Amino acid sequence: MSLLRIRHYPDPVLKQKAERITAFDGELRRLADDMLETMYAAPGVGLAAPQVGVSRRLIVLDCSPKDGEKQPLIAVNPEILTREGECCEEEGCLSVPEYYAKVVRSEKVTVRFQDLDGVTRQLEAGGLWAVCFQHEIDHLDGVLFVDRLSPLKRSLFRKKYQKILEQRQEQL
Ligand code: NI
C-alpha cells in the first residue's frame, strides 16, 4: 500500500465528471487500498478517486467513532436512490484545506453501489454516514461542498481560500 497525493482545489481533476468503473480487477483493489490508507493518514472520513487524481467512480469512507473499531467501506459506482429529511452539518474536505462550512444535505439516504467483486449492494445511511456519502458522491460529479454554499458565502470562501493558498505556498 502507498500514500497518494491529494489534489487541492482548484485542480481541474476535481471539476471533472468521473467515469463509471467496469473492470473489477487487482488494479481497482490496489487503488481502493491506497485510498483508504491515504484517507486514514490525512486523517479524513471519506475520499473520492478524483481527489487523488483518478477520474473514476470510486469512493472510500469510514465514519465510525474515532476510538472504536475501523469500519472501512469501499463503494464502486455509488448512486443515491432515495433521500429523506434535511440536515445542516459543518463539512470540510481534504481537497479544500483549512476551510469548513455548514452545508444543507438530506438526513437519510439509500445508496446503491458495487463492491470490489462487482456485486451490487444497497444500504441505508443516516447521520455522518449519510452526509459523507452525499459529499463523496458529489466529488464524482465534479461538485465540491463549497459549490453548495449560497452565492454570498461562496464569494467569502474564494477570498479566504486565496489567502489560505498563499500562506501554504509561503510555508513550502
Ligand atoms: Ni471532499
Side-chain angles (χ1 to χ4, degrees):
M1 297 215 283
S2 52
L3 289 179
L4 305 168
R5 184 169 69 87
I6 294 176
R7 306 301 177 92
H8 290 161
Y9 175 77
D11 190 313
V13 72
L14 296 169
K15 300 305 287 177
Q16 283 171 25
K17 191 171 164 71
E19 276 178 38
R20 238 187 122 70
I21 290 169
T22 52
F24 295 82
D25 53 11
E27 193 197 330
L28 180 66
R29 205 165 283 270
R30 201 155 46 242
L31 175 62
D33 281 346
D34 288 346
M35 281 173 56
L36 274 174
E37 194 188 1
T38 304
M39 178 190 82
Y40 284 127
V45 294
L47 190 68
Q51 293 183 271
V52 292
V54 179
S55 195
R56 298 166 76 189
R57 302 188 82 78
L58 168 67
I59 62 173
V60 298
L61 309 80
D62 188 346
C63 299
S64 60
K66 273 191 188 110
D67 37 10
E69 208 174 306
K70 281 182 182 171
Q71 289 178 49
L73 198 144
I74 295 165
V76 182
N77 300 320
E79 46 190 332
I80 293 170
L81 298 181
T82 65
R83 300 172 174 274
E84 207 181 295
E86 199 178 277
C87 65
C88 187
E89 297 294 334
E90 188 164 80
E91 295 184 25
C93 179
L94 295 175
S95 294
V96 187
E98 295 170 50
Y99 187 80
Y100 303 88
K102 286 196 166 189
V103 182
V104 178
R105 303 272 189 192
S106 303
E107 198 177 13
K108 279 186 192 168
V109 289
T110 311
V111 186
R112 183 168 62 196
F113 57 93
Q114 285 162 287
D115 65 17
L116 286 176
D117 298 314
V119 177
T120 300
R121 297 181 182 276
Q122 193 169 311
L123 60 80
E124 271 182 35
L128 184 55
W129 284 95
V131 170
C132 197
F133 266 114
Q134 292 169 82
H135 178 120
E136 300 312 328
I137 291 172
D138 266 357
H139 273 299
L140 305 181
D141 295 319
V143 176
L144 298 175
F145 79 105
V146 292
D147 295 321
R148 297 208 174 271
L149 302 177
S150 68
L152 175 66
K153 276 197 177 166
R154 210 159 49 232
S155 70
L156 290 173
F157 156 71
R158 283 202 199 94
K159 281 182 202 149
K160 193 171 174 191
Y161 191 67
Q162 190 60 43
K163 286 192 188 132
I164 290 170
L165 283 187
E166 282 164 17
Q167 275 168 3
R168 289 176 71 91
Q169 273 160 3
E170 278 167 21
Q171 283 165 11
L172 292 176

